[in-house]
Amino acid sequence: MKISGKVALITGGAGGLGKAFAAALLRAKAKAVCLVDISSRGKEVAEDLRLQYPPSQVDFYHCDVMNYDLFKGAFDFVQKRFGAIDIVCNNAGMAASDHNVSGSIRTLRLNLEAVYFGTKLGMDYMDKESGRGGVIINVASMAAFLPLMGSMCYNASKAGVVALTKSAGVPEQYEMTGVRVNALCPSFTETPLLDTSSGLREMIAQLPNHPIMSPEYVAEGFQQLVENEELCGAVMRVTPQKGIEIVPNRRKDRNSSSKL
Ligand SMILES: NC(=O)C1=CN([C@@H]2O[C@H](COP(=O)(O)OP(=O)(O)OC[C@H]3O[C@@H](n4cnc5c(N)ncnc54)[C@H](O)[C@@H]3O)[C@@H](O)[C@H]2O)C=CC1
Ligand SMILES: CCC(=O)/C=C/C=C\C[C@@H](O)/C=C/C=C/C=C\[C@@H](O)CCCC(=O)O
């Protein structure tokens, strides 16, 4: 997909990775980006991006994406304001330790259930019948493959995002909707998320050859997933050790999916 002239909706857009994804799209001449976030910081982030990347339009839409109806309202807002949606990034997320049961349940809901909402809504609003096709990027994590000690729900939620994305990205689905769906799995990246768990930075520092990456580097992988029309149902890993890589998809060796 050529990003120039396109319209994007990014959840968690006020956060470290969300802002970097928005900036990457704006540098590539996206027509408009809407930052959907529960934090009112989104207003300042949108203002900052407008100043940095004129004449692109950058809006902030205050929303709790864990509420389906409110989240649908964000899609209606973008569709009405810009006439179309081409790119959806389900990026909003959080982490909680196993000791915090309510936080762990909220983590599962935000990181997985809300990503399902955003994937379903993205397919509905961008479907080639009602829309003009498009691409959905679901932000998972390397924790989906290499679990973090003490964060069962975080690890499970991210593994769920990978499975959800592979399901949504099967060729038959793409043929029907014209919407590609890919997963982005970064390792540790310099954002406020790293400060939400005490001792995490110290733990990371103990890991051999595991420097914390910049959001801008992860956004390079994000942009590849948006632009490369060959990628659908793809899982991309971004790590300091191996850089940006697509996980081989064994399913491509089979010639049809199992239909229910
Ligand atoms: N920072 C890292 O090391 C890594 C982060 N990730 C994932 O990247 C995504 C973005 O996280 P970061 O930018 O690192 O963290 P961040 O904390 O900077 O950004 C998260 C954003 O999500 C928003 N948010 C939280 N709950 C929300 C809700 N109910 N509705 C709408 N927005 C909500 C927050 O207000 C915040 O702006 C998350 O899914 C995270 O799990 C994945 C791998 C590594
Ligand atoms: C509650 C703590 C928590 O879940 C914090 C998450 C923080 C960062 C985002 C996360 O998505 C990054 C995961 C990166 C994992 C990369 C490699 C693993 O092999 C690290 C394993 C570290 C360990 O041995 O526990």
Side-chain angles (χ1 to χ4, degrees):
M1 172 190 284
K2 193 166 175 294
I3 292 172
S4 174
K6 296 300 192 292
V7 176
L9 182 156
I10 301 177
T11 72
L17 277 169
K19 182 178 182 182
F21 297 156
L25 295 177
L26 295 169
R27 274 196 297 277
K29 305 295 180 203
K31 170 185 166 186
V33 175
C34 183
L35 311 177
V36 177
D37 206 300
I38 201 168
S39 165
S40 54
R41 272 198 70 254
K43 196 161 181 243
E44 297 130 51
V45 173
E47 179 59 28
D48 183 33
L49 289 169
R50 274 196 293 273
L51 292 172
Q52 278 191 68
Y53 301 104
S56 298
Q57 301 173 80
V58 186
D59 279 343
F60 165 60
Y61 187 90
H62 182 266
C63 173
D64 177 354
V65 298
M66 294 198 297
N67 179 311
Y68 179 84
D69 291 335
L70 295 179
F71 196 0
K72 186 177 183 300
F75 278 81
D76 287 336
F77 169 79
V78 177
Q79 177 73 38
K80 192 171 175 193
R81 181 151 162 66
F82 299 110
I85 300 173
D86 304 291
I87 302 163
V88 172
C89 181
N90 292 303
N91 164 71
M94 66 175 281
S97 82
D98 296 331
H99 304 301
N100 177 352
V101 175
S102 60
S104 291
I105 297 304
R106 187 176 171 84
T107 296
L108 273 172
R109 289 194 54 219
L110 176 62
N111 293 6
L112 183 54
E113 185 183 56
V115 172
Y116 163 69
F117 290 163
T119 303
K120 185 70 176 61
L121 287 165
M123 287 173 138
D124 292 346
Y125 279 73
M126 296 192 286
D127 183 291
K128 62 187 178 185
E129 298 304 317
S130 51
R132 50 195 193 191
V135 61
I136 299 169
I137 308 299
N138 290 332
V139 181
S141 164
M142 278 301 293
F145 309 101
L146 299 165
L148 284 162
M149 265 291 286
S151 316
M152 289 187 288
C153 284
Y154 184 84
N155 300 332
S157 70
K158 294 305 185 179
V161 170
V162 170
L164 169 73
T165 303
K166 290 166 81 171
S167 309
V170 295
E172 299 83 349
Q173 189 86 20
Y174 176 51
E175 281 148 31
M176 269 194 317
T177 64
V179 178
R180 293 184 291 118
V181 193
N182 293 314
L184 177 64
C185 304
S187 185
F188 298 111
T189 309
E190 188 50 65
T191 76
L193 183 72
L194 298 189
D195 299 312
T196 57
S197 313
S198 63
L200 180 64
R201 286 186 184 272
E202 290 72 15
M203 182 279 284
I204 299 169
Q206 302 299 317
L207 296 174
N209 182 29
H210 218 117
I212 296 173
M213 299 182 294
S214 70
E216 290 72 25
Y217 180 63
V218 177
E220 288 179 29
F222 163 80
Q223 187 166 343
Q224 289 177 27
L225 289 173
V226 170
E227 291 181 324
N228 188 339
E229 302 272 4
E230 294 299 307
L231 297 177
C232 186
V235 178
M236 175 184 278
R237 291 178 171 176
V238 182
T239 62
Q241 300 86 354
K242 294 188 177 176
I244 297 170
E245 54 175 349
I246 296 290
V247 179
N249 179 352
R250 284 191 295 279
R251 192 184 174 283
K252 283 197 183 307
D253 306 335
R254 286 169 36 205
N255 53 20
S256 70
S257 66
S258 48
K259 289 190 176 61
L260 290 178

